[in-house]
């Protein structure tokens, strides 16, 4: 059964949204790796909207369609098939992850997860099919990450830019005091679409400076008054659910340098004065972590994982003000 901490919602196109406009597979939608033909030209249908696909990880480490997913059939397995590269008419390239939904061993649907923006009615030539890169690329975008320049609170109270940290440095944690860093990851990805970083402007949530993090990053908020009606004071809130275009803003464009901090167990640490989670290893991001840290045993966690607030409990336009008031009342 899926829990809040194991469900991830991604925005995808379905196969027929991206058919071959010229080539061997004329008029057919993008398929899985074995059926693809290099040099076929694809075109995104005009005004096609991405669909929300919610996935959870079962006891075997397989992805399944979540029960409340708007797309797909609940319980069906979803596999990461391949990472394909397409080239636009301006010779620019971008990657698309292909996910395949299976029902009774048969292909039910093929989903496209573009790692950059696809332009409707533009031509894209298929130039590469990589059957091995999908797991790694998906892991990279699934990691919760801080951007370069983020100040992390150390065990002695010092504020250190994340890029200056070293393995073994002791970082202040909410639950266990100073704890040593076991691994530091670094990735550079395109800041586009759903993967563009989110800026929490200075003071929006009592943060000392601007904070730029990955969209799935969760913040820890202590409510002095239960403004969200959760029945508890401790809550975890995904930053992607806080975007209001004013105080919390998604920032597409260019590239972003991301850093990941791993401890012996999942921790709440302090970044620019905000309590935020460290990296939690799971089936989605395991491939991005060295093998010595990503065995089959689950990473120890704290009770705070049970405190994640679903988007339905957050007001659509005033969540930041409400949380700021809850934390200061």
């Amino acid at each position: 059964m899926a829990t809040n901490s194991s469900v991830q919602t991604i925005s995808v196109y379905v196969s027929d949204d991206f058919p071959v406009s010229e080539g061997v597979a004329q008029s057919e939608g993008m398929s899985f790796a074995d059926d693809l033909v290099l040099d076929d030209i694809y075109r995104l249908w005009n005004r096609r909207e991405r669909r929300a696909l919610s996935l959870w990880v079962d006891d075997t480490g397989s992805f399944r369609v979540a029960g409340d997913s708007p797309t797909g059939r609940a319980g069906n397995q979803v596999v990461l098939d391949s990472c394909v590269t397409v080239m636009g008419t301006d010779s620019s390239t971008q990657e698309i992850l292909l996910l395949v939904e299976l029902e009774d061993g048969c292909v039910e649907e093929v989903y496209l997860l573009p790692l950059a923006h696809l332009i409707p009615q533009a031509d894209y030539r298929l130039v590469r099919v990589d059957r091995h890169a999908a797991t790694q690329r998906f892991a990279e975008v699934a990691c919760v990450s801080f951007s370069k320049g983020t100040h992390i609170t150390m065990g002695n109270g010092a504020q250190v830019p994340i890029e200056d940290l070293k393995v073994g440095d002791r970082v202040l944690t909410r639950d266990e005091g100073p704890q040593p860093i076991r691994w530091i990851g670094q990735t550079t990805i395109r800041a586009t679409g759903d993967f563009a970083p989110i800026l929490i402007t200075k003071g929006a949530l009592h943060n000392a400076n601007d904070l730029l993090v990955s969209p799935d990053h969760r913040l820890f908020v202590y409510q002095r008054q239960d403004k969200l009606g959760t029945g508890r004071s401790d809550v975890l809130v995904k930053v992607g659910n806080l975007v209001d275009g004013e105080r919390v803003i998604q920032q597409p464009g260019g590239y972003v340098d991301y850093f990941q901090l791993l401890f012996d167990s999942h921790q709440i640490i302090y970044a620019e004065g905000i309590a935020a989670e460290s990296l939690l290893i799971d089936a989605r991001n395991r491939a991005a972590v060295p093998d010595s840290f990503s065995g089959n045993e689950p990473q120890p966690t704290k009770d705070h994982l049970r405190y994640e607030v679903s988007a339905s409990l957050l007001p659509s336009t005033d969540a930041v003000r409400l949380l700021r008031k809850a934390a200061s009342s």
Side-chain angles (χ1 to χ4, degrees):
M1 183 176 179
T3 63
N4 279 345
S5 60
S6 64
V7 173
Q8 181 179 27
T9 300
I10 55 178
S11 295
V12 297
Y13 294 111
V14 298
S15 172
D16 288 343
D17 291 341
F18 199 56
V20 176
S21 59
E22 181 180 337
V24 175
Q26 182 82 31
S27 300
E28 295 181 9
M30 178 160 273
S31 186
F32 48 88
D34 288 345
D35 278 1
L36 296 176
V37 179
L38 292 179
D39 286 330
D40 274 1
I41 297 175
Y42 290 80
R43 185 177 295 174
L44 180 66
W45 280 105
N46 194 28
R47 297 179 182 173
R48 280 294 197 267
E49 297 290 337
R50 288 208 200 186
R51 312 172 193 218
L53 174 65
S54 297
L55 304 174
W56 63 283
V57 181
D58 67 16
D59 293 338
T60 69
S62 298
F63 292 108
R64 302 278 176 180
V65 179
D68 59 352
S69 178
T71 305
R73 183 172 180 178
N76 279 355
Q77 184 180 6
V78 175
V79 299
L80 286 165
D81 176 74
S82 56
C83 177
V84 301
T85 303
V86 295
M87 179 183 291
T89 54
D90 61 355
S91 298
S92 64
T93 60
Q94 57 182 277
E95 294 176 323
I96 302 173
L97 301 186
L98 300 183
L99 299 89
V100 178
E101 179 185 349
L102 301 174
E103 184 168 351
D104 297 328
C106 298
V107 174
E108 179 67 18
E109 183 58 86
V110 176
Y111 300 107
L112 287 70
L113 179 60
L115 300 184
H117 179 63
L118 292 176
I119 302 172
Q121 297 301 303
D123 288 332
Y124 292 96
R125 184 181 299 274
L126 180 65
V127 296
R128 187 172 184 230
V129 179
D130 191 329
R131 292 173 170 82
H132 307 291
T135 300
Q136 177 70 30
R137 298 295 284 123
F138 188 76
E140 291 172 358
V141 299
C143 285
V144 297
S145 307
F146 299 96
S147 66
K148 183 178 181 179
T150 299
H151 289 86
I152 303 297
T153 303
M154 309 304 291
N156 62 3
Q159 303 295 309
V160 178
I162 195 167
E163 63 270 23
D164 293 341
L165 296 178
K166 303 181 296 296
V167 170
D169 285 350
R170 299 177 71 83
V171 170
L172 182 64
T173 71
R174 175 186 179 273
D175 299 297
E176 297 182 321
Q179 290 295 309
I181 301 171
R182 295 306 185 194
W183 176 76
I184 301 173
Q186 182 178 1
T187 54
T188 300
I189 68 171
R190 285 185 177 181
T192 184
D194 295 339
F195 307 114
I198 291 179
L199 173 68
I200 304 166
T201 58
K202 179 180 178 179
L205 289 172
H206 302 294
N207 42 311
N209 299 293
D210 288 351
L211 176 63
L212 194 68
V213 295
S214 56
D216 281 337
H217 216 128
R218 292 175 295 190
L219 305 179
F220 178 90
V221 177
Y222 176 79
Q223 298 186 99
R224 297 181 184 276
Q225 293 185 20
D226 185 12
K227 298 292 186 181
L228 297 182
T230 60
R232 56 180 180 268
S233 57
D234 298 337
V235 293
L236 274 180
V237 182
K238 188 177 293 185
V239 295
N241 294 332
L242 298 178
V243 173
D244 61 9
E246 181 180 350
R247 292 158 294 189
V248 178
I249 306 162
Q250 191 149 34
Q251 288 197 322
Y255 291 81
V256 59
D257 293 321
Y258 274 150
F259 291 80
Q260 302 86 37
L261 298 181
L262 182 68
F263 298 86
D264 285 329
S265 60
H266 186 242
Q267 297 287 352
I268 299 297
I269 62 176
Y270 298 90
E272 303 296 359
I274 296 181
E277 67 174 328
S278 66
L279 179 64
L280 172 63
I281 301 174
D282 60 22
R284 296 166 294 179
N285 59 37
R286 194 176 300 277
V289 180
D291 292 342
S292 57
F293 296 101
S294 58
N296 292 325
E297 292 298 318
Q299 185 184 7
T301 60
K302 306 291 188 300
D303 284 346
H304 52 237
L305 281 182
R306 297 188 291 109
Y307 301 157
E308 184 172 353
V309 176
S310 66
S312 62
L313 288 179
L314 295 168
S316 58
T317 59
D318 214 16
V320 175
R321 185 196 64 79
L322 196 65
L323 285 171
R324 192 174 190 279
K325 185 175 181 180
S328 58
S329 296

